Amino acid sequence: MFDLILRNGTVFDGTGAAGRLMDVGVRKGKVAAIGKLGDYATEFVDCSGLTVAPGFIDIHTHSDATLMTDPDGYSLLMQGVTTEIIGNCGFSCAPCFRKELVEKFMVGTMPGQEFRWKSFGDYLDLLQAQKPGLNVGAYVGHNTVRLNIIGNEPRLADDDELTYMGNVVRQALDEGAIGVSSGLEYNPGFHSDLRELVAIARVASEYDATYATHVRNRDWQYEMGVGEGLATARIAGARLQLSHLVPKVGAPEHAADHILEMMEWTQKLGIDVGYDVIPHEWGPTFMYTVLPKWAYEGGVVAMVERLKDPVLRPKLKYNPFPQWKLVGEKRWSELVLMRSGANPGLVGLNFEEIGRIRNTDPHDAILDILLEEGENMADVTWVGKISPDRDIRLMLAQSECAVISDAITLNNSGPLKDIRFAPTAFGWTARFLGHYARDERMMDLAAGIRRLTSLPAKRMNLARRGELKPGYFADIVVFDAAAIADNATLQDMNATPTGLAHVFVNGQAAVSEGKRTSVRAGEVIRRSSKP
Ligand SMILES: [Zn+2]
């Protein structure tokens, strides 16, 4: 007797094997059997004409703070994602011993939101108590660890601090973090050197946990950025994940080919090198990354003072190494404001338009908006047309390339309803399966499903997830493969995709007939074994 039978769908197990017309039986939150299963179940869902697959896994999100505001997981569930991995690019909500710094530099915080936890374990306990709508695993972020130990100081770590940082990372891994992430284009991670990165990657390696890195550069100095990530993993012996690895505007045309070759050399040494790609040309980041490095000194209070100073203004605008070369090239129409508490009316407009409305140079408009946000300037985000489509395709064409959103979980109702982050927040799986895999004929459905299921589960060492097999967790998505389509646009970013029918998280219906139910059945996934 099953609790649930998904009847008569084309079942893909997630390994890349072809789909077969079958039933999937679920009992006590797990897949119990796959085959022709008869009539012994409490509940049936007719899947005729539909694709049945393991729930999709998003191994790169930034929902650490938003899940605490609203644990529903609506934006990801409505596109079939049943597990997300938070804490990427060096930023996690925990540990949080220096609240004033960790809160200020975290993405997705809401006005008045307070971080009520200290250790990583405290945070995971509170996250579980929130009852998330989908499963969540969390990296501990190097930027967060550094803020706790060195603060916002623009300098290298000394030996004692390196030992301390290693111990803090070790404790987070003991308490359930599934890996360690770094974000080397961001403050304060960009002050670290290879010695510091190797020290934290070594701790990841002790635990056979993943070291994921947002590399220091992916445009002018992409060789240095990617090379540093590869060297860190090689020296530390760590399993590596190179995050959102598409060259950005400003990189030479051969960069993507060269990056693939660089990775191959390191893989030949037996180092486990993985990578992932955002299936979209437009990507998000903090808008304050437009500022030159020296402007961060003293933290947000000092940053606000500098923005106020008319004498400093030309210096702030002179940034020889902006994080996005779109800024240096003054491609203002390819930069769109996504979130601003002080200027909600400008959200969704590009900086050519904003400059015109404000009757000012677009670059000044950017700095003015940051100033108007004051100490909450880390909450201001934008998206830029940063990734050439030809490079996205080249990366996606590699069979081991994973796919990610790089977004935050959002919702069309409740406290997060007015937040926009990136077109991938609601549409990344549908864009990958519908646009790239199906319409652009980059791969067949079985191969496309594997990219979203067993491939990311293996990268993250997620036990019994990512495949449909007896004994595995019943994270399941049912969709119409011919119809699945991304509807998110820059103007209407929070549009849910077409073609999604049902989503089950740990055997419970999170989406039914295309509608989100009230069930929140997600589990916080913790690293279980100690080294
Ligand atoms: Zn990143």
Side-chain angles (χ1 to χ4, degrees):
M1 186 76 175
F2 299 104
D3 298 334
L4 166 73
I5 290 180
L6 303 177
R7 246 181 188 166
N8 213 24
T10 304
V11 179
F12 291 78
D13 66 7
T15 63
R20 293 189 296 162
L21 210 58
M22 303 254 223
D23 306 329
V24 177
V26 174
R27 197 187 295 128
K28 291 186 176 158
K30 303 261 170 60
V31 174
I34 298 175
K36 285 290 166 197
L37 300 180
D39 294 322
Y40 298 99
T42 314
E43 203 193 327
F44 295 91
V45 173
D46 179 22
C47 298
S48 305
L50 298 173
T51 294
V52 180
F56 303 143
I57 298 173
D58 190 344
I59 60 171
H60 189 109
T61 76
H62 296 280
S63 312
D64 309 58
T66 50
L67 282 171
M68 285 297 186
T69 300
D70 177 359
D72 189 81
Y74 180 86
S75 56
L76 284 176
L77 288 168
M78 289 297 284
Q79 49 178 323
V81 176
T82 54
T83 299
E84 68 171 310
I85 306 296
I86 61 176
N88 278 283
C89 303
F91 289 104
S92 52
C93 277
C96 182
F97 297 97
R98 293 179 71 175
K99 212 155 77 93
E100 75 289 356
L101 285 173
V102 178
E103 278 177 2
K104 282 277 178 281
F105 284 100
M106 197 65 207
V107 72
T109 51
M110 294 297 282
Q113 181 176 7
E114 242 198 272
F115 289 8
R116 294 172 290 120
W117 49 85
K118 285 199 160 67
S119 72
F120 209 84
D122 289 347
Y123 171 78
L124 293 182
D125 289 345
L126 280 166
L127 186 58
Q128 184 64 66
Q130 289 272 83
K131 294 200 166 88
L134 73 173
N135 305 306
V136 187
Y139 282 105
V140 58
H142 163 250
N143 285 337
T144 299
V145 170
R146 201 179 212 273
L147 283 170
N148 278 293
I149 292 171
I150 303 179
N152 195 40
E153 291 175 38
R155 62 171 175 85
L156 297 174
D158 66 29
D159 287 346
D160 287 346
E161 286 163 340
L162 281 188
T163 307
Y164 192 5
M165 285 168 78
N167 286 337
V168 169
V169 170
R170 215 167 265 119
Q171 189 186 338
L173 289 164
D174 278 332
E175 292 174 354
I178 52 138
V180 190
S181 76
S182 67
L184 304 178
E185 267 185 313
Y186 296 116
N187 180 66
F190 53 39
H191 298 304
S192 56
D193 60 0
L194 188 67
R195 178 172 143 270
E196 179 170 335
L197 299 170
V198 166
I200 62 155
R202 274 208 173 110
V203 179
S205 162
E206 276 172 39
Y207 286 75
D208 192 29
T210 302
Y211 168 66
T213 181
H214 170 142
V215 300
R216 206 176 289 266
N217 188 280
R218 274 175 287 143
D219 46 66
W220 292 345
Q221 305 175 78
Y222 76 90
E223 307 95 322
M224 179 272 294
V226 175
E228 182 181 50
L230 293 170
T232 304
R234 174 170 51 76
I235 298 165
R239 176 211 313 257
L240 177 67
Q241 187 72 16
L242 292 163
S243 300
H244 36 58
L245 194 64
V246 171
K248 290 191 292 193
V249 166
E253 252 188 63
H254 69 267
D257 285 293
H258 188 192
I259 288 171
L260 288 171
E261 205 175 298
M262 288 170 79
M263 290 194 290
E264 231 178 273
W265 282 100
T266 307
Q267 282 159 337
K268 277 184 193 161
L269 298 173
I271 304 296
D272 183 355
V273 180
Y275 55 105
D276 48 66
V277 161
I278 304 167
H280 211 290
E281 292 169 274
W282 289 78
T285 199
F286 300 105
M287 197 167 82
Y288 69 65
T289 56
V290 72
L291 297 171
K293 245 183 186 181
W294 58 265
Y296 294 87
E297 204 175 332
V300 278
V301 178
M303 288 160 87
V304 172
E305 288 310 310
R306 287 185 190 110
L307 284 164
K308 275 186 197 159
D309 186 343
V311 179
L312 279 181
R313 185 54 75 97
K315 285 189 186 166
L316 288 171
K317 284 167 73 174
Y318 176 70
N319 183 359
F321 288 95
Q323 189 194 337
W324 284 354
K325 303 303 177 282
L326 291 173
V327 175
E329 294 178 17
K330 300 188 189 300
R331 286 156 72 164
W332 308 120
S333 65
E334 294 173 14
L335 293 158
V336 175
L337 183 66
M338 277 295 108
R339 188 177 178 208
S340 167
N343 287 285
L346 299 177
V347 166
L349 299 178
N350 69 52
F351 273 91
E352 202 172 282
E353 295 166 326
I354 294 172
R356 210 177 305 131
I357 289 168
R358 295 197 149 201
N359 197 21
T360 185
D361 169 37
H363 203 158
D364 278 311
I366 293 168
L367 302 185
D368 290 342
I369 288 170
L370 286 174
L371 175 59
E372 287 155 25
E373 209 72 25
E375 289 184 34
N376 298 323
M377 71 174 81
D379 297 338
V380 185
T381 59
W382 62 1
V383 293
K385 197 177 178 190
I386 49 170
S387 305
D389 192 55
R390 59 152 205 274
D391 290 341
I392 297 175
R393 284 159 190 279
L394 177 62
M395 289 298 184
L396 288 178
Q398 314 302 315
S399 68
E400 297 311 306
C401 177
V403 193
I404 58 162
S405 72
D406 195 21
I408 56 181
T409 42
L410 295 173
N411 202 329
N412 279 348
S413 62
L416 300 175
K417 76 172 166 32
D418 295 324
I419 298 187
R420 305 286 178 272
F421 190 75
T424 48
F426 281 73
W428 76 278
T429 67
R431 185 166 164 87
F432 170 67
L433 289 173
H435 174 68
Y436 286 110
R438 183 194 59 215
D439 298 347
E440 300 290 316
R441 298 168 190 252
M442 288 195 66
M443 64 195 81
D444 66 20
L445 183 57
I449 289 171
R450 173 183 160 266
R451 298 292 185 94
L452 303 180
T453 57
S454 72
L455 173 67
K458 288 202 174 103
R459 287 291 333 142
M460 298 312 307
N461 256 346
L462 302 178
R464 291 188 293 164
R465 299 194 193 270
E467 291 179 45
L468 285 183
K469 266 189 190 167
Y472 274 52
F473 292 98
D475 295 337
I476 304 171
V477 53
V478 182
F479 63 100
D480 182 342
I484 194 156
D486 167 26
N487 296 317
T489 60
L490 286 175
Q491 289 69 38
D492 187 11
M493 212 166 260
N494 290 8
T496 54
T498 305
L500 230 284
H502 312 286
V503 181
F504 299 86
V505 175
N506 297 313
Q508 299 196 49
V511 175
S512 179
E513 309 283 352
K515 298 251 172 348
R516 175 79 178 96
T517 68
S518 57
V519 175
R520 300 209 307 260
E523 290 288 329
V524 170
I525 299 171
R526 296 172 201 244
R527 247 188 47 76
S528 45
S529 54
K530 296 195 173 181

